[in-house]
């Protein structure tokens, strides 16, 4: 049921003295974009008459098919608390349509909506709760980000050791003012690393919330003279940032992953859902871990999952089943990082899980010991496979997974894969400081 009507939005803009409305959307690489309009243009926007040049957005459209229209989601209306209180700024998250009035195949939000419709037709609602990690670093004299920090805090430390505590508190208060229900916030393992967890919701709302979360965190960090980065692994030798993704399906108002008669409290749907994820995870990884830097995080000894396995008792596998049961029963996928496009990431996760349910793909036996401590021979004996080791491998796996390609659609698949291949080639041909230090004096 909708929260707002067009008249509600128009009334709120007038009553709250809002002068600018940002029409936001997300490109295929997970970057937020927007067109700003004045309040005088609001009715035009609410009638889906605001147009922009899609050819200017990387991966969107060619010059000859560049006209795109923004269709605001009225329920996404939100006032930015950090903007002036006179002449306020609000936002509306938009879907992208063609001039013919059809959803644009390159719109990541549309891709997620398509998979959600498939789930709905099977009787399911997809609920997701992310755990978003980020780093807070100093900026230089020009205001540009660095990887410098004064703090030495670790997991669950508090002030005065945790020097980011005040910034994190303001982030939480701002997010709550924007309607988030914050469940926890704390310092993470690495110096200057933080986590803020907000309550799960239906997948489309959660994906919108992740994009809003990133914007709010970066904005409040800047007010504190800091830079917030969601780069997966900014520093060698430190833990990277993940976005553990807690997922469940509900059916007829009840958690479809819960079965009190199972020894682990899991339903057959839950086992099949995991089976589908594990079958397709290699093809999904280029989406859930989209950067060259993502694979610097996915290495042993830094708590990031590398091995394709699941467990209800330890945190080393790719998939963990948290202890809560009943309506809180969920599957936690631990590989995604916060640089991912949340719309595409949740779309491929759901599609893989539904494939498991439809085709009764059985999850292998759980691995309830520390996989990091196992030898290569022991992992081979248990048939434990690994995630792709770099972006090139991940793209190759994506190209070989017909289901994931079908979910993304031809438009996004072609452009995404082409861009990531270019990214890899650019990286591959660089000469790094490590190479200079390692080889220059030797040869």
């Amino acid at each position: 049921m909708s929260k707002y009507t067009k008249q509600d939005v128009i009334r709120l803009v007038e009553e709250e003295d809002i002068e600018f409305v940002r029409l936001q959307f997300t490109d295929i690489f997970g970057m937020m974009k927007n067109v700003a309009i004045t309040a005088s243009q609001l009715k035009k926007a609410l009638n889906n008459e605001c147009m922009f040049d899609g050819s200017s957005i990387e991966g969107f459209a060619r010059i000859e098919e560049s006209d795109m229209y923004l269709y605001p989601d009225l329920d996404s209306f939100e006032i930015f608390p950090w903007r002036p209180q006179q002449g306020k700024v609000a936002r509306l998250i938009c879907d992208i349509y063609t001039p013919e009035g059809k959803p644009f195949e390159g719109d990541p939000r549309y891709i997620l909506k398509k998979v959600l419709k498939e789930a709905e037709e099977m009787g399911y609602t997809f609920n997701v709760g992310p755990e978003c990690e980020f780093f807070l670093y100093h900026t230089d004299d020009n205001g540009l980000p660095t990887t410098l920090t004064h703090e030495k805090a670790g997991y669950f430390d508090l002030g005065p050791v945790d020097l980011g505590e005040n910034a994190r508190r303001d982030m939480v208060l701002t997010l709550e003012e924007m309607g988030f229900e914050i469940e926890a916030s704390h310092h993470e393992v690495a110096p200057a690393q933080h986590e803020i967890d907000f309550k799960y919701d239906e997948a489309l709302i959660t994906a919108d919330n992740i994009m809003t979360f990133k914007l709010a965190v970066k904005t409040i960090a800047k007010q504190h003279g800091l830079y917030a980065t969601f780069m997966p692994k900014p520093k060698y030798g430190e833990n990277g940032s993940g976005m553990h993704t807690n997922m469940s399906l509900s059916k007829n108002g009840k958690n479809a992953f819960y079965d009190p008669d199972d020894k682990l409290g899991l339903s057959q749907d839950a086992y099949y859902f995991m089976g589908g994820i594990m079958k397709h995870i290699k093809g999904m990884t280029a989406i859930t871990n989209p950067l060259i830097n993502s694979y610097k995080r996915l290495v042993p000894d830094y708590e990031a999952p590398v091995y394709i396995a699941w467990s209800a008792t330890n945190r080393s596998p790719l998939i963990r089943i948290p202890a809560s049961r009943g309506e809180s029963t969920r599957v936690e996928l631990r590989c995604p990082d916060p640089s991912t496009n949340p719309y595409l990431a949740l779309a491929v996760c759901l599609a893989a899980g539904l494939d498991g349910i439809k085709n009764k793909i059985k999850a292998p036996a759980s691995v309830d010991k520390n996989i990091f401590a196992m030898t290569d021979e022991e992992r081979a004996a248990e048939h434990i496979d690994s995630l792709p080791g770099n972006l090139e491998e991940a793209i190759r796996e994506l190209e070989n997974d017909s289901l994931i390609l079908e979910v993304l659609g031809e438009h996004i698949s072609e452009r995404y894969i082409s861009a990531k291949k270019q990214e890899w080639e650019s990286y591959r041909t660089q000469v790094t400081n490590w190479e200079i230090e390692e080889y220059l004096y030797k040869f």
Side-chain angles (χ1 to χ4, degrees):
M1 186 174 175
S2 293
K3 188 167 62 173
Y4 294 127
T5 65
K6 287 183 185 180
Q7 291 307 313
D8 290 332
V9 174
I10 292 169
R11 176 179 51 79
L12 284 167
V13 167
E14 291 174 352
E15 291 177 354
E16 296 289 338
D17 186 29
I18 292 167
E19 289 193 3
F20 288 92
V21 179
R22 295 189 178 274
L23 306 178
Q24 295 179 343
F25 59 98
T26 301
D27 73 11
I28 67 174
F29 305 110
M31 304 305 294
M32 183 182 284
K33 307 290 183 179
N34 86 116
V35 174
I37 61 170
T38 59
S40 66
Q41 301 298 304
L42 180 62
K43 290 182 181 179
K44 179 180 176 182
L46 296 180
N47 288 329
N48 305 326
E49 295 172 359
C50 278
M51 189 173 66
F52 73 100
D53 178 9
S55 67
S56 299
I57 307 297
E58 188 181 1
F60 258 35
R62 298 186 296 270
I63 291 291
E64 61 269 24
E65 52 184 33
S66 59
D67 289 347
M68 298 286 164
Y69 285 84
L70 295 170
Y71 283 36
D73 183 333
L74 302 183
D75 288 346
S76 69
F77 179 82
E78 196 67 56
I79 300 170
F80 289 150
W82 56 80
R83 299 297 291 173
Q85 289 307 294
Q86 291 182 331
K88 296 176 185 176
V89 179
R91 73 93 197 269
L92 285 161
I93 294 174
C94 299
D95 295 306
I96 301 170
Y97 278 70
T98 67
E100 293 74 35
K102 295 180 180 178
F104 174 47
E105 294 286 343
D107 179 6
R109 205 168 186 260
Y110 171 63
I111 300 302
L112 177 56
K113 282 185 169 183
K114 281 200 302 184
V115 189
L116 289 172
K117 190 172 188 302
E118 180 186 351
E120 184 183 356
E121 289 168 354
M122 295 172 65
Y124 296 113
T125 300
F126 185 40
N127 298 308
V128 182
E131 301 173 23
C132 298
E133 297 174 347
F134 56 93
F135 285 88
L136 290 177
Y137 289 129
H138 296 314
T139 55
D140 65 16
D141 292 341
N142 295 317
L144 298 174
T146 71
T147 56
L148 301 175
T149 177
H150 289 151
E151 72 151 54
K152 303 292 184 184
Y155 198 53
F156 279 12
D157 278 346
L158 66 161
V161 178
D162 174 6
L163 299 180
E165 187 176 57
N166 289 340
R168 196 174 66 240
R169 180 199 62 212
D170 285 351
M171 290 168 188
V172 168
L173 294 175
T174 299
L175 289 164
E176 286 189 330
E177 194 173 343
M178 296 180 75
F180 284 72
E181 183 176 339
I182 304 300
E183 296 188 323
S185 69
H186 59 86
H187 197 285
E188 259 294 340
V189 173
Q193 188 183 31
H194 303 266
E195 177 175 319
I196 298 175
D197 300 332
F198 52 88
K199 185 178 172 64
Y200 77 90
D201 212 318
E202 294 183 14
L204 186 65
I205 296 172
T206 295
D208 288 342
N209 283 344
I210 291 170
M211 296 303 298
T212 302
F213 175 89
K214 289 181 180 181
L215 176 63
V217 165
K218 283 180 171 289
T219 301
I220 303 306
K222 188 175 182 180
Q223 291 180 351
H224 283 260
L226 298 168
Y227 184 81
T229 180
F230 293 92
M231 179 181 178
K233 182 93 166 184
K235 279 192 173 179
Y236 170 75
E238 301 284 1
N239 284 43
S241 289
M243 190 182 77
H244 298 170
T245 303
N246 295 271
M247 301 175 284
S248 67
L249 294 175
S250 59
K251 195 170 192 176
N252 299 322
K254 294 184 178 180
N255 190 318
F257 282 179
Y258 177 56
D259 181 356
D261 297 325
D262 179 73
K263 66 177 182 178
L264 293 178
L266 298 177
S267 70
Q268 197 62 66
D269 276 356
Y271 287 114
Y272 288 150
F273 191 92
M274 282 194 293
I277 293 277
M278 293 173 74
K279 175 184 176 181
H280 293 287
I281 190 60
K282 288 187 176 183
M284 294 162 49
T285 308
I287 302 298
T288 59
N289 304 86
L291 306 183
I292 285 164
N293 183 256
S294 297
Y295 299 85
K296 307 294 177 74
R297 167 182 169 256
L298 295 177
V299 293
D301 300 326
Y302 291 98
E303 298 189 13
V306 180
Y307 304 110
I308 302 173
W310 72 276
S311 176
T313 60
N314 85 84
R315 293 171 181 265
S316 62
L318 173 74
I319 294 174
R320 184 175 80 95
I321 307 298
S324 302
R325 290 296 179 270
E327 287 307 301
S328 298
T329 306
R330 60 195 186 273
V331 168
E332 178 190 5
L333 184 65
R334 297 172 61 79
C335 66
D337 68 54
S339 68
T340 187
N341 181 323
Y343 302 101
L344 298 183
L346 298 189
V348 297
C349 284
L350 176 57
L354 293 180
D355 185 52
I357 292 172
K358 287 186 287 188
N359 294 297
K360 295 182 167 51
I361 300 170
K362 292 184 178 179
S366 65
V367 179
D368 299 325
K369 49 191 172 184
N370 187 351
I371 303 177
F372 296 131
M374 296 168 68
T375 64
D376 290 343
E377 292 76 15
E378 288 171 330
R379 284 191 287 269
E382 299 251 13
H383 305 289
I384 299 173
D385 205 350
S386 300
L387 293 175
N390 57 48
L391 183 61
E392 182 188 37
E393 290 180 23
I395 288 296
R396 200 180 305 130
E397 294 288 350
L398 172 58
E399 290 178 306
N400 291 329
D401 194 316
S402 58
L403 175 78
I404 304 303
L405 291 176
E406 182 182 348
V407 171
L408 298 176
E410 185 177 336
H411 182 102
I412 287 183
S413 293
E414 288 181 358
R415 286 159 176 77
Y416 190 90
I417 289 171
S418 174
K420 290 301 170 181
K421 283 183 174 180
Q422 290 177 27
E423 188 177 336
W424 175 258
E425 189 62 20
S426 175
Y427 171 74
R428 188 186 67 79
T429 55
Q430 294 292 320
V431 178
T432 65
N433 288 336
W434 183 92
E435 292 168 276
I436 297 296
E437 292 173 6
E438 186 73 13
Y439 302 133
L440 189 64
Y441 79 98
K442 291 181 179 178
F443 299 99

